[in-house]
Amino acid sequence: MLKYIIGRMFYGLVAVFLAASFVFFLCRKAPGGPFDRDKPLPPDVKAMYEKQFGLDLPMSKQYIRFLRKAVQGDFGPSIIMPEKQVIDIIKERLPITITVGVVSMFGVALVIGILSGIIAALRHNKRLDHLIVGGTMIGIAIPDFTTGTLLIYFFCMEHRVFPRQGWGTLLHMVLPVTVMSLYYITTFTRYTRGGMLEVLREEYIVAARAKGLPMWKVVVRHALWGGLRPLLSYLGIAVPFLFGGSTLLVEQMFNLEGIGEYFITAIRDRDYTMIMGIVVMFSVVLSAFTIVIDISYTLIDPRQRRRST
Amino acid sequence: MVIRRGPLALITALALGTSAGCRCGSKGSQNNTAAAREGAQPDWEVNPQNYFGTVTVPKGRVLRTSFGPKILSLDPQQTQASWEMPYHVALGLTLVYLDEDAETLLPGFAERWEASDNGTTWTFHLRRGFHWHKFHGEAVYNEADNTMTVNGDGVVTLEEITSADVKYSWGRVLDVQSETPYRPLFRDIFLEGAEEYEAAIQAWTEAADKEKPAAKKKVDELLARIMSESIETPDPFTVVMHLDSPSKIMPEQMWFPVFAVVHRATVEKKYPGAEEGAKDQWTLPENATWSGGYVLAKRTDRVVYLIRVDDSPLWTKEHPGSPAVVGYQSEKCDDMTDMYERGELDALSTACRPPNAMVIEQNGRVRDLTLHPHARLNYMVLNWQRGILRNTQVRQAIAYAMDREDLVKQVLGGLDRVAGTFVPEGFAGFTAGKDYGFTFNLQKARALMEEAKAAMTKAGDYKPGDTLSITIKYRMRQNEVDLAQAFQRYMKEIGITVVLEQMEARAHSKDTNSGNFDAIAASWGSDYMAAMTWWVLALTGNHYNASKWTDSEFDRLAQQAFRTLDEQEALHLDRAAEKILMTRGVHVPLSWGTSVMLVKPYVRGITPNYPDHHFLHDMRIVVE
């Protein structure tokens, strides 16, 4: 098992290195630099700015300099906001992104998705099952930005129940969390339902029922872990997507000062140091999460455990 | 000397007396004031439907405002964009200030000033009683009450500001190490030696590596000379400036934040990360020392929180400022307009072009919306060094084929004014009566194209049946997309195929500034009220000249006009320069801008003005 974990960590580090290197060269090859502005800077000022951030050095030297500092967790100052260190900006903004992401996925989507998935499986082919499955179809079909726009229009513009933008109170969280969790509720429901249906047909479940155990005990004690296996696998994909895609959109939509919103700004402004800081941070977090998911999968599924050992 | 104002300063919004400023150009405000004086209910309470969104006066008196996108730096001397300047002017003390009309000069650090008979020596007599200030503590803004509470010492008063601080601050701007974008403004006011200094900097930038040390030495020598000879401080409260020749933008231009006073010890302190490129850490609330009428209490990426320095001599009965200011920074015009409509913003002067749909829809229907002429030109640049655009007649044909009326109506929301020449109407005597310029004339454009084809055929550059094609590069902004598509449509009428190339902003800026384009659309706002503010776009060697176009006669006329103080002569020379510019057809004027302001009726001190400058020392919430 230890060998397996070390192996997974090694691959995780390789993934982080590759992602960071790829993005480093990609963003420097992209046309336009951080000091190419609408209102041009005097040439000497531009040259000084570039020298200040080492952008006048050959690409290979810049890359080595970046790697040397990155392993120490130092990405230097942001190019666009040079009064702040990249790591400090990440520290300031990450809590909002993490809060919205974690509350949406683990606080709302996972709870509602698992419960509705179990209910749908237990009521297989009954009216309630059809209702839940139909609901999930609608949820999957409507994109986040449509849901978000409709919610903003209805709850912020028309009825002014929730604030339109910003962060700070529970009310500020309601709409962003709703928009982000809706898609995941629907997918989690479908994965849980599918997994549970499969497990509920297993002989050991039939045997447990035959022994006279009440249905809730059968579900909680025997069926649940097996039924959640597909969902667990999906989480390994969903979490990266959550932080790499959904948060960017929702933070933009509700003007949340999270890291996703800043990532888009950093790319647009060619804030190389900020881009690299966020990419490395996301890569590390997501690799770590993937490793945790893989390990928990082996813990839940004895077959996987055997394979990994 | 450190004067502390108590261990716990509590700033809550207070009513600011009854000083009634005039919001000229804003319908209804006079009536409101008069009604209030007579004890009647103000119009906005009686007829709230005449205003855009909520008009309930907020409980607190913290001014909530937005001037546009994010501020890059809060260092006043690093000022670059119009939306940054209100904050820079608020935080940095300058010798003079502009009133809300952006014309009347008010005393700032200088209480009076005089020029020598020949106009080349300016003496500024400084006021006593201006001190440096820091902010100690934590500022908490309560959105519901619109109040700002300070936990901690609050605004702390430090030592007095003197002429030595002015000299240091200007020297900092002039020093190339400070990387100040507006450094050339010293050349533009004709500071003695500044022109030679700028030329030396250019030579140093362009010099080969082995020649750089010698070039830099010359730069340093010239800087030392300027600092010893051109800027003098005979005593702690006098500053003397020596100019090469009289300047028509002196002393008015001294309000510009690049001339603000900064605190030497704070600015020069070594902060962590400086060797890796970090800068401006001195502007962080915990580090900063400010000279202006406000201090920075807090800053997030979207919001700047300022608190008034109550003991500043700047404040008068007419200009009491606001106890605190919350400045939102966003380029999302719809979001800002929505905030205004909800009553979460008191004043919104938007840099959005064109203004959003909600604003256009309300045009003429609400009293708190003002659309006013703005000294801004929207124009196209045609690359005179590429393809068919090398031919002057082709460029002129393009200029005549632009249906500006249609463009203003369809693309710019019907708000801008059609521009056939460069300098906006009403600008420094540039009113009607020009005998040159472009108007939409398809017949003339087609005739010019035929002449151009004949000339190009003769030169072997064109064969009958060849496709005449140019590419327009534009950014992913709706108005630029619309403009590019309109351009494509207009050019089709004269047989030119236009290829559309949509680009990201930074990539677009790179290509624009390096001259890698056939055609681009651009926009330019005036820095000062002299025609030179426009000529920099076409002057040989100027870094704002994207076209890299060069004409020695134009340069001569423009420079001469800028140097003469005789208004009639200057106008004559400027018009001659503009005529050359129009004849060459490299710069194609399209429209003159309109600025949009949404100001709640209970706000005073923000007036529509031509350069679209708005200052926080004027603005305040007033309850009659």
Side-chain angles (χ1 to χ4, degrees), chain A:
Chain A
M1 189 66 180
L2 186 66
K3 197 177 162 190
Y4 173 77
I5 293 172
I6 291 169
R8 293 296 297 118
M9 284 174 75
F10 173 73
Y11 285 122
L13 284 175
V14 171
V16 171
F17 171 75
L18 289 177
S21 303
F22 179 68
V23 174
F24 179 90
F25 289 107
L26 193 71
C27 65
R28 274 170 175 72
K29 282 289 170 194
F35 306 116
D36 288 313
R37 294 181 185 160
D38 202 11
K39 192 171 191 175
L41 293 165
D44 63 286
V45 172
K46 192 180 172 198
M48 294 285 283
Y49 276 151
E50 286 175 345
K51 194 174 176 187
Q52 200 176 341
F53 288 95
L55 302 178
D56 57 332
L57 298 171
M59 189 89 82
S60 55
K61 279 194 179 172
Q62 290 184 43
Y63 178 60
I64 291 165
R65 195 168 131 164
F66 156 70
L67 286 181
R68 207 176 53 228
K69 286 179 176 279
V71 290
Q72 300 164 37
D74 177 10
F75 301 97
S78 154
I79 296 179
I80 299 300
M81 287 185 76
E83 69 271 27
K84 286 189 174 177
Q85 295 288 318
V86 166
I87 205 76
D88 293 333
I89 296 174
I90 292 175
K91 276 185 209 163
E92 276 171 26
R93 287 179 162 257
L94 198 58
I96 295 180
T97 304
I98 297 276
T99 308
V100 176
V102 168
V103 172
S104 306
M105 181 165 278
F106 298 102
V108 179
L110 217 53
V111 174
I112 299 176
I114 290 174
L115 278 177
S116 52
I118 293 170
I119 293 167
L122 293 176
R123 295 279 170 210
H124 185 45
N125 276 340
K126 303 270 173 50
R127 193 172 291 173
L128 192 57
D129 180 30
H130 293 316
L131 196 71
I132 291 172
V133 171
T136 62
M137 289 301 289
I138 295 169
I140 290 170
I142 303 175
D144 287 356
F145 57 85
T146 310
T147 322
T149 311
L150 289 173
L151 289 178
I152 287 171
Y153 179 73
F154 192 75
F155 289 110
C156 303
M157 318 275 281
E158 283 292 297
H159 295 289
R160 306 197 173 189
V161 181
F162 298 113
R164 160 76 183 83
Q165 51 195 336
W167 186 255
T169 64
L170 276 175
L171 281 180
H172 283 104
M173 275 179 69
V174 175
L175 292 186
V177 165
T178 308
V179 173
M180 270 183 78
S181 53
L182 270 179
Y183 175 80
Y184 292 104
I185 290 173
T186 57
T187 45
F188 290 173
T189 303
R190 292 178 70 82
Y191 275 94
T192 309
R193 179 180 172 274
M196 287 298 289
L197 281 177
E198 205 177 303
V199 172
L200 287 174
R201 286 191 203 106
E202 295 281 344
E203 286 176 3
Y204 69 92
I205 298 292
V206 178
R209 287 288 287 152
K211 278 201 282 182
L213 276 177
M215 195 59 197
W216 69 269
K217 273 192 178 174
V218 174
V219 169
V220 173
R221 284 190 188 168
H222 302 284
L224 192 59
W225 288 111
L228 288 183
R229 274 201 303 267
L231 177 63
L232 205 57
S233 301
Y234 176 68
L235 272 181
I237 307 164
V239 171
F241 183 73
L242 176 82
F243 289 105
S246 305
T247 48
L248 307 193
L249 184 80
V250 169
E251 285 174 13
Q252 277 275 315
M253 198 175 270
F254 293 96
N255 286 330
L256 304 181
E257 293 185 29
I259 205 75
E261 193 260 352
Y262 204 82
F263 194 29
I264 293 174
T265 311
I267 293 169
R268 197 189 56 194
D269 291 344
R270 303 287 191 270
D271 190 343
Y272 299 143
T273 50
M274 197 69 228
I275 294 172
M276 293 318 299
I278 297 175
V279 165
V280 170
M281 183 270 300
F282 268 142
S283 312
V284 169
V285 170
L286 298 180
S287 294
F289 191 81
T290 312
I291 293 167
V292 171
I293 290 282
D294 287 351
I295 294 167
S296 22
Y297 203 68
T298 56
L299 293 176
I300 288 172
D301 189 346
R303 290 167 296 183
Q304 291 288 332
R305 206 178 311 153
R306 277 197 294 276
R307 255 178 243 153
S308 64
T309 51

Side-chain angles (χ1 to χ4, degrees), chain A residues 34 37-39 44 48-49 52 69 74 77 82-83 93 156 164-165 252 255 257 268 270, chain B residues 80 177 179 182-183 205 276-277 279 299 301-302 331-332 335 339 342 475 504 506 513:
Chain A
R37 294 181 185 160
D38 202 11
K39 192 171 191 175
D44 63 286
M48 294 285 283
Y49 276 151
Q52 200 176 341
K69 286 179 176 279
D74 177 10
E83 69 271 27
R93 287 179 162 257
C156 303
R164 160 76 183 83
Q165 51 195 336
Q252 277 275 315
N255 286 330
E257 293 185 29
R268 197 189 56 194
R270 303 287 191 270
Chain B
Q80 285 189 66
Q177 301 295 335
E179 303 160 348
Y182 264 107
R183 184 196 62 228
T205 311
E276 298 164 321
K279 55 181 271 189
R299 184 187 181 185
D301 284 338
R302 279 188 66 237
E331 55 196 23
K332 296 178 182 171
D335 288 354
M339 279 181 75
R342 292 165 69 108
R475 288 168 289 197
E504 247 193 314
R506 298 281 164 166
N513 300 333

Side-chain angles (χ1 to χ4, degrees), chain B residues 177-194:
Chain B
Q177 301 295 335
S178 69
E179 303 160 348
T180 308
Y182 264 107
R183 184 196 62 228
L185 206 50
F186 277 99
R187 177 195 58 200
D188 295 350
I189 60 167
F190 304 139
L191 181 72
E192 198 174 65

Side-chain angles (χ1 to χ4, degrees), chain B residues 316-334:
Chain B
T316 59
K317 193 180 172 192
E318 292 73 31
H319 296 93
S322 294
V325 176
V326 176
Y328 292 90
Q329 308 159 61
S330 174
E331 55 196 23
K332 296 178 182 171
C333 307
D334 287 335

